[in-house]
Amino acid sequence: MKTGKPANSAAGPKAVYHAMSKAFEAMKLGKTFKILGDLNQKGGIDCPGCAWPDPSHRSKLGEYCENGVKAIAEEAMDANADAAFFARHSIEMMRDQTDYWLGHQGRLTQPMRIKKGEAHYSPVSWNELFDTIASKLCGLASPNDGIFYTSGRTSNEAAFLYQLFVRIFGTNNMPDCSNMCHESSGIALSHTLGIGKGSVKLEDFYQSELILIVGQNPGTNHPRMLSALKKAKSHGAKIVVINPLKEAGLISFEDPQSVAGMLGIGSSIADLYLQIRINEDVALFQALSLKLLELSKDRPNIIDSAFINEKTDGFQAFKSHLETQDFQQLIERTGLPMDQIEQLIQLLTERHQIIACWAMGLTQHVNAVDNIQEIVNLLLLKGSIGKPGAGTCPVRGHSNVQGDRTMGIWERPSKEFLDSLASTFNFEPPRAHGVDVVAAIQLMHEEPGKVFMAMGGNLLSAAPDTAYTKTALENCGMTIHVSTKLNRSHLYPGDIGFILPCLGRTDIIQEQSGIQKLTVENSMGMVHSTQGNQKPRSEHLLSEPHIISQIASRTVGNKIVNWDSLIQDYDQIRELIGKSVKGFESFNEKLKNNAVFELPNGPRKGTFTNDIGKARFTVNSLPDYHLEEDELMMMTIRSHDQFNTTIYGMDDRYRGIYGIRMVVLMNKSDIAALALDLQKPVTLYNTYGQKTRKVEGLTIIPYNIPRRCIATYFPECNELVPLQLKARKSNTPASKSVKVKISQA
Ligand SMILES: Nc1nc2c(c(=O)[nH]1)N[C@H]1C(S)=C(S)[C@@H](COP(=O)(O)OP(=O)(O)OC[C@H]3O[C@@H](n4cnc5c(=O)[nH]c(N)nc54)[C@H](O)[C@@H]3O)O[C@H]1N2
Ligand SMILES: Nc1nc2c(c(=O)[nH]1)N[C@H]1C(S)=C(S)[C@@H](COP(=O)(O)OP(=O)(O)OC[C@H]3O[C@@H](n4cnc5c(=O)[nH]c(N)nc54)[C@H](O)[C@@H]3O)O[C@H]1N2
Ligand SMILES: [Mo]
C-alpha cells in the first residue's frame, strides 16, 4: 500500500499510459488495436463502459477514454476461465479470493453446472442446461416464484426478448441494476416532468451558460464527459461542482486529444467547487431557490415568471413552503462557506440556460427522490427546461441501462406498455407489479425454492447487506447466471446453479442469416448499433438473445412468439420492437448507414408528459437524520480502477491511493478527535434494526472530506448497508448515507 497527494487534474499522458498498459497486459497487440480502432466509431463497438453519448463527429485518433480501454481489456482479455479452471478451483477456494482475482481468471467459455453439496462446477451441454431450466420453470407453483434480474449491459434486442419471455411466462418480477442506480431519478423526473430520462442532448452543453455537476465523478466514471465540459467552457459556460470530495477530473482536464493535454497542461473545469456535507443537497437547493425568490422581488427577471405561469403547477405551495425555511440554517447544514453560496447565487441570477448533471451522489440516499425534485424546482424557477442549453442530465451508468428500461425491463411497467405488448402479441401480460432488487432479495431469503435468473451483473456484490444476500441466493431452488466473466454471485448457487457463458460487446455474433448487429440507447436517448469484431474464443458461446430464445421456446413454447425463427436474423427482433415500443417504428430503416436516431422526449421540447401535462413544483421536507456523538456518515464510492463490482486494479490514482481497497477516507480533525492510530486497522460497524453489521481490517487515510463524513469503496463495504435502508418511493439502497461507528483494537 502507498498513499500520495490526490491529483488536481485528470486524463493526459498518464491516463494514456495506464490505459495502454492494462490493455497490453491483458491482450495481444493486434487484437488491442483492432478493437480500439472500432470502439465508439459509427457502426463499430459501443463501449461496454458508461452510457455517455458519442459526439456527432468521432475522433479517428480514438473516441474512448482510459476506463473504456480498461473495460475492453476486462472483456476481451486473452485468458479463459474454462472447464479445466473450474476443475482446479472449488467454489470454497474461490470464495476466499478477491474480486480482482476472480475477474482476472479470464472469460467464461463453457456452460457449467453445480449441484448442492458439490465442490466444483462441471461442464454441461447447452441442451441439457436449457431442458433443466425449462422444466424447473414449468414446475413452479406460480410464475411469481421466478425472479429475472437484468444488468445494464444487455442490448435492446436481448432486453426486449427477455421481458417478453418473462411476461408470457407470467410475471413482472424483473428487478434490475437501475433499482440500485438511477431509479430515484426516474421516479422524480416522471412525476415532475413526465419522462424518467434526462432532457438534454450533447449539443445543449455547448449552448449552456451554467452547468451544475452534483454528486458525480466524471473523471473516473464518465471521462468523455470532460471533453464536453471543456468545450462547453470554451463556449462560455460556467461550471459549478457540488461534491463532498475534490475530484481531480472536476478540477482540471488534460485533454488527450490535444497537444497541450498530452504535455500535461490541463484546462480548468470547475469555476466554483462546493465541498458539501454528505446528503445536504436538499438544504442547499432549497436555500438557493429561497434566495432567488427573495431577490426576484426587486429584480423580477431573475426567475422566469412567464414559464412558471404557463408551463408549471404547484408554484404557490412550493413558494409558501420555502418561505417557512430559514436561509441561514439551511446553509449551516451544508457546511459551506457563505462567500461560495453568494458566488453561486450570483451565477444563478445572471444566467438563464442552466443544465444540472447528477449521478449516484444524489440517487442513493433515503431522500434521493427529494434531492432530484429540488434540482427540478430550481430549474423550473429559472425556466431552464425545454429550451436549448438547459435541462436535466442524470448521467447514466451502464452502457445500455437506459435502453433496457425503454425495452420494458421494469418491475412496474406502465399500463400503456403492457397494453401495447398485449395487442402486438395477442396475449394477456401480468398486470400486478413485480419485485425490485430489495424486495427480490427479501423474497428469496424468506421463501426458499425460488428460481433466480440474472441476465448479466453480479447481484451479490452489487446489493446491500452482503451476508443476507448470500443466504438469499443460496436459498434458491435454482440460480442461473448469463455472464461473460466469473464473479462472486456464481459462488453462492442455489440447489442447482448454472453459469451460461455469453458473447460480449467485442465478439462477432454469427447466426443463420449471417453476422448480427445489436443496438443500445445512450444516456441522452440516442439509439445506435453496436457490432463486435472478435472471433468467439469458444464454440460454446452464445449471444444473449440466442440464450433467451432457447429458454423461452422450451418454457412457453413457440405459439405466441416463434423464438426459434426470430434468432436467425435479429432484424426480425427489431421488427417486433418497432411494433410494440414507441419511437422504434421502422427500426431497421432508421439504422441504415449506421445512423443514430433520437427517441421521443417531451420535456426536451418543453412539453410535459406527466398526468397533468404541466411541470410540477414539489414540496420536499429536509432530511431529518441525526448523527450521534460517535457516529459518522459513510458514502460508498467507486475507485478509479473498477467498473462496479469488477475490479480492474488496486489503485485509485486520482485520490493518491495505491495497492489497497480496504480504506476509510476521513477528515484529519475527526481522526484526532477520535484518537485513532493511523498505523492500526479499524472496524466500521452499525446496528440498524437490532442487527450488528461490521467490516474489519480497514486502513484510515486522512483526506480532504467534510467533518463527520467518511468514504469507503463499493463493494467492500456493502456489508454495512442494511437492506431496509432505502430511498422513499424508489427503493434504491441508500448506499451513500449509512451511519457507522468506528473502533480500533
Ligand atoms: N470507470 C467506471 N465507470 C463507471 C462505473 C464504474 O464503476 N467505473 N460505474 C457506472 C455506473 S453503473 C454508474 S451508476 C456511474 C456512477 O458514477 P458516479 O455517480 O460518479 O459514481 P460514484 O463513485 O458512486 O460517485 C458518486 C460521487 O458522488 C459524490 N457524493 C456522494 N454522496 C454525495 C452527496 O450526498 N451529495 C453530493 N453532492 N455528492 C455526493 C461522491 O463524492 C462521488 O464523487 O458510473 C458508471 N461508469
Ligand atoms: N454500496 C454500493 N452499492 C452499489 C453502488 C454503490 O455506489 N454503492 N452502485 C450501484 C449501481 S449504480 C449499480 S448499476 C449496481 C451494479 O450492479 P450489476 O450491474 O449487477 O453489477 P456489475 O458489477 O456491473 O456486473 C458485472 C458482471 O456482469 C457480467 N457481464 C459483463 N458484461 C456482460 C455482458 O455483456 N453480458 C452479460 N450477460 N454479462 C456481462 C460479468 O459477469 C460481470 O462480472 O451496483 C449498485 N451497488
Ligand atoms: Mo449504476
Side-chain angles (χ1 to χ4, degrees):
M1 162 199 169
K2 200 176 92 193
T3 60
K5 237 177 96 187
N8 50 22
S9 191
K14 273 195 194 149
V16 176
Y17 165 78
H18 283 278
M20 295 328 273
S21 6
K22 275 267 186 288
F24 298 147
E25 228 172 81
M27 302 177 290
K28 291 195 191 72
L29 215 64
K31 178 163 154 188
T32 303
F33 286 114
K34 181 147 193 223
I35 297 177
L36 295 184
D38 261 7
L39 192 57
N40 292 326
Q41 299 295 339
K42 284 187 179 150
I45 303 169
D46 181 56
C47 179
C50 76
W52 187 255
D54 302 313
S56 38
H57 176 77
R58 315 283 161 89
S59 166
K60 285 284 167 209
L61 217 61
E63 191 56 61
Y64 47 81
C65 69
E66 174 189 346
N67 281 343
V69 178
K70 290 187 199 159
I72 289 295
E74 187 70 28
E75 176 180 301
M77 59 172 57
D78 293 332
N80 291 323
D82 53 14
F85 165 84
F86 284 99
R88 280 197 309 274
H89 299 92
S90 69
I91 52 168
E92 203 57 50
M93 178 271 166
M94 290 192 279
R95 285 175 181 181
D96 291 335
Q97 304 300 318
T98 60
D99 293 315
Y100 176 78
W101 186 90
L102 293 176
H104 280 71
Q105 302 314 304
R107 274 286 288 278
L108 297 162
T109 60
Q110 210 171 323
M112 305 297 292
R113 176 181 57 197
I114 192 166
K115 293 184 187 155
K116 258 263 142 66
E118 290 179 350
H120 293 258
Y121 272 97
S122 47
V124 58
S125 74
W126 277 116
N127 244 328
E128 189 178 346
L129 174 152
F130 289 137
D131 283 342
T132 317
I133 292 174
S135 94
K136 178 78 185 173
L137 286 172
C138 291
L140 290 176
S142 150
N144 293 325
D145 290 336
I147 289 154
F148 301 86
Y149 177 73
T150 313
S151 169
R153 203 167 284 172
T154 298
S155 62
N156 288 333
E157 289 75 5
F160 183 78
L161 288 190
Y162 190 43
Q163 63 83 34
L164 183 60
F165 155 59
V166 170
R167 294 198 165 106
I168 294 174
F169 177 65
T171 180
N172 283 314
N173 279 350
M174 304 205 75
D176 69 348
C177 66
S178 259
N179 294 147
M180 299 181 272
C181 183
H182 266 296
E183 191 75 59
S184 309
S185 309
I187 299 280
L189 294 174
S190 307
H191 178 64
T192 54
L193 307 176
I195 183 169
K197 304 182 181 183
S199 74
V200 301
K201 291 207 280 187
L202 203 45
E203 292 67 36
D204 287 306
F205 277 72
Y206 315 136
Q207 298 174 56
S208 181
E209 295 173 311
L210 176 61
I211 300 171
L212 308 176
I213 302 171
V214 198
Q216 194 207 343
N217 178 20
T220 285
N221 298 312
H222 307 92
R224 288 194 304 148
M225 179 173 172
L226 300 183
S227 313
L229 294 177
K230 179 184 164 202
K231 189 164 165 192
K233 284 201 79 159
S234 75
H235 288 222
K238 292 281 181 198
I239 294 182
V240 176
V241 176
I242 300 164
N243 195 313
L245 300 181
K246 281 248 170 153
E247 304 285 24
L250 292 168
I251 304 171
S252 160
F253 169 50
E254 296 163 22
D255 185 353
Q257 303 273 356
S258 76
V259 177
M262 281 307 280
L263 291 171
I265 302 167
S267 327
S268 90
I269 297 287
D271 294 284
L272 184 61
Y273 207 122
L274 306 187
Q275 259 186 290
I276 194 168
R277 283 197 186 119
I278 292 176
N279 201 20
E280 290 297 5
D281 302 86
V282 169
L284 174 66
F285 281 95
Q286 290 193 349
L288 297 173
S289 292
L290 177 61
K291 196 46 132 192
L292 290 183
L293 280 169
E294 208 177 285
L295 293 171
S296 71
K297 285 181 194 146
D298 293 331
R299 293 156 64 196
N301 285 345
I302 285 177
I303 63 170
D304 189 340
S305 299
F307 176 86
I308 295 170
N309 290 337
E310 265 169 54
K311 298 267 189 178
T312 73
D313 181 73
F315 177 65
Q316 282 311 327
F318 163 72
K319 182 163 173 264
S320 312
H321 172 253
L322 279 190
E323 284 164 357
T324 65
Q325 305 288 332
D326 181 84
F327 180 75
Q328 208 68 34
Q329 276 175 12
L330 291 172
I331 297 304
E332 265 163 37
R333 287 185 61 142
T334 65
L336 295 167
M338 194 51 88
D339 68 304
Q340 289 194 346
I341 301 285
E342 281 163 3
Q343 287 178 57
L344 176 52
I345 289 169
Q346 183 71 21
L347 286 170
L348 285 166
T349 54
E350 290 163 355
R351 287 157 200 264
H352 303 277
Q353 284 163 291
I354 304 169
I355 292 177
C357 307
W358 69 87
M360 297 304 102
L362 288 193
T363 64
Q364 298 176 332
H365 301 280
V366 172
N367 47 279
V369 175
D370 301 344
N371 284 344
I372 294 143
Q373 292 189 160
E374 280 304 344
I375 289 197
V376 171
N377 283 338
L378 179 69
L379 292 175
L380 293 179
L381 208 51
K382 295 290 301 178
S384 253
I385 296 187
K387 67 182 183 192
T392 54
C393 184
V395 185
R396 298 279 162 174
H398 270 294
S399 55
N400 195 40
V401 62
Q402 187 159 313
D404 290 349
R405 272 294 163 91
T406 308
M407 291 297 118
I409 301 287
W410 198 18
E411 79 286 352
R412 298 188 248 182
S414 69
K415 180 176 178 304
E416 190 192 9
F417 185 84
L418 293 180
D419 286 347
S420 169
L421 284 188
S423 72
T424 310
F425 295 98
N426 200 17
F427 80 109
E428 191 36 52
R431 299 282 169 168
H433 288 173
V435 288
D436 57 19
V437 161
V438 167
I441 293 169
Q442 262 158 352
L443 186 66
M444 292 175 347
H445 195 278
E446 282 158 26
E447 295 179 22
K450 304 284 178 219
V451 171
F452 173 77
M453 172 162 178
M455 191 50 61
N458 179 6
L459 182 75
L460 172 57
S461 304
D465 244 339
T466 315
Y468 185 92
T469 303
K470 260 179 207 165
T471 311
L473 283 172
E474 288 183 310
N475 277 353
C476 287
M478 186 180 278
T479 44
I480 305 161
H481 295 281
V482 181
S483 311
T484 48
K485 300 286 299 286
L486 180 65
N487 67 47
R488 202 158 294 281
S489 297
H490 302 136
L491 308 180
Y492 296 85
D495 294 339
I496 302 186
F498 286 112
I499 298 176
L500 288 65
C502 67
L503 294 165
R505 282 280 166 83
T506 51
D507 299 315
I508 295 170
I509 302 177
Q510 175 81 46
E511 299 284 6
Q512 261 180 37
S513 70
I515 291 176
Q516 307 296 319
K517 60 175 180 268
L518 295 165
T519 61
V520 290
E521 173 185 344
N522 67 34
S523 194
M524 294 177 182
M526 313 303 262
V527 180
H528 60 86
S529 68
T530 173
Q531 189 173 317
N533 64 17
Q534 293 299 301
K535 188 170 165 287
R537 62 190 60 216
S538 141
E539 55 183 358
H540 300 294
L541 296 182
L542 297 176
S543 76
E544 293 179 334
H546 199 111
I547 290 172
I548 295 160
S549 77
Q550 294 308 298
I551 296 177
S553 71
R554 286 164 162 89
T555 309
V556 297
N558 280 308
K559 247 206 223 128
I560 297 176
V561 175
N562 191 337
W563 305 99
D564 294 328
S565 99
L566 266 188
I567 47 150
Q568 291 169 10
D569 179 355
Y570 295 2
D571 277 357
Q572 290 189 61
I573 307 175
R574 285 184 283 273
E575 282 288 316
L576 295 180
I577 296 174
K579 284 186 190 148
S580 12
V581 188
K582 227 166 54 194
F584 288 86
E585 302 78 12
S586 319
F587 194 178
N588 286 311
E589 283 294 303
K590 284 181 175 146
L591 293 173
K592 288 244 161 87
N593 306 318
N594 300 320
V596 179
F597 68 92
E598 185 181 336
L599 291 175
N601 187 314
R604 180 172 289 169
K605 308 226 151 64
T607 313
F608 299 104
T609 41
N610 58 8
D611 51 332
I612 53 171
K614 282 193 165 183
R616 265 198 183 95
F617 277 99
T618 52
V619 172
N620 307 291
S621 47
L622 286 165
D624 61 351
Y625 67 77
H626 162 79
L627 285 179
E628 298 295 336
E629 192 91 327
D630 56 346
E631 278 180 328
L632 300 160
M633 189 54 84
M634 176 184 80
M635 56 177 174
T636 51
I637 56 174
R638 290 157 171 78
S639 82
H640 190 60
D641 250 1
Q642 72 184 86
F643 192 95
N644 299 340
T645 70
T646 298
I647 310 302
Y648 298 144
M650 300 304 285
D651 300 340
D652 196 356
R653 194 170 82 240
Y654 294 152
R655 299 197 183 107
I657 301 167
Y658 300 90
I660 186 168
R661 292 185 51 86
M662 292 294 283
V663 293
V664 187
L665 277 53
M666 198 168 179
N667 186 296
K668 274 191 191 129
S669 310
D670 289 327
I671 299 172
L674 294 161
L676 295 167
D677 178 351
L678 292 180
Q679 304 311 317
K680 288 196 200 148
V682 290
T683 298
L684 292 180
Y685 66 99
N686 56 20
T687 41
Y688 278 88
Q690 323 282 306
K691 188 169 153 190
T692 302
R693 295 170 176 82
K694 65 175 178 188
V695 173
E696 295 172 289
L698 294 154
T699 297
I700 307 174
I701 307 227
Y703 207 82
N704 176 3
I705 182 170
R707 291 285 314 257
R708 312 288 300 277
C709 296
I710 58 169
T712 58
Y713 293 134
F714 144 57
E716 284 78 358
C717 283
N718 282 32
E719 181 60 50
L720 291 162
V721 188
L723 195 66
Q724 64 270 37
L725 188 73
K726 55 192 173 101
R728 291 188 302 275
K729 297 186 194 137
S730 68
N731 289 344
T732 297
S735 40
K736 298 258 194 293
S737 45
V738 183
K739 291 184 212 173
V740 294
K741 294 183 185 179
I742 193 162
S743 69
Q744 196 162 47

